[in-house]
Amino acid sequence: MHLRKPLIPLLCLIAFTIVAQNRLKPYVDYIAKYNEIATRQQKLHGVPASITLAQGILESGAGNSEMAKRSNNH
């Protein structure tokens, strides 16, 4: 009986972690895919790669918008 009390919050934490990881996966994948390009552009134009990636994620839904898929427009 004493094992149930600490076990329930632990199971909830594990479930929350799994859901959070799945929710963030598209963003992590987008950054991994376009990081080198954004870094190269940073060296050429001075715009931080983090800003370029954040803008791309925001405007293209992490590369999943129709325009990003159809026209490669991020």
Side-chain angles (χ1 to χ4, degrees):
M1 193 65 137
H2 291 298
L3 265 172
R4 277 192 190 166
K5 286 184 181 179
L7 189 59
I8 292 173
L10 179 61
L11 291 174
C12 289
L13 180 62
I14 291 169
F16 177 75
T17 302
I18 291 169
V19 169
Q21 286 176 345
N22 286 338
R23 204 177 98 231
L24 296 176
K25 186 170 180 2
Y27 305 116
V28 172
D29 292 345
Y30 186 91
I31 291 168
K33 185 173 183 177
Y34 295 106
N35 182 41
E36 288 183 33
I37 296 169
T39 302
R40 255 185 274 129
Q41 293 301 310
Q42 175 179 324
K43 290 175 184 172
L44 286 173
H45 303 289
V47 178
S50 59
I51 299 298
T52 302
L53 290 167
Q55 193 71 30
I57 288 170
L58 179 66
E59 291 189 12
S60 74
N64 292 314
S65 72
E66 195 59 39
M67 187 174 279
K69 290 178 181 177
R70 195 169 5 104
S71 304
N72 197 29
N73 186 346
H74 297 250

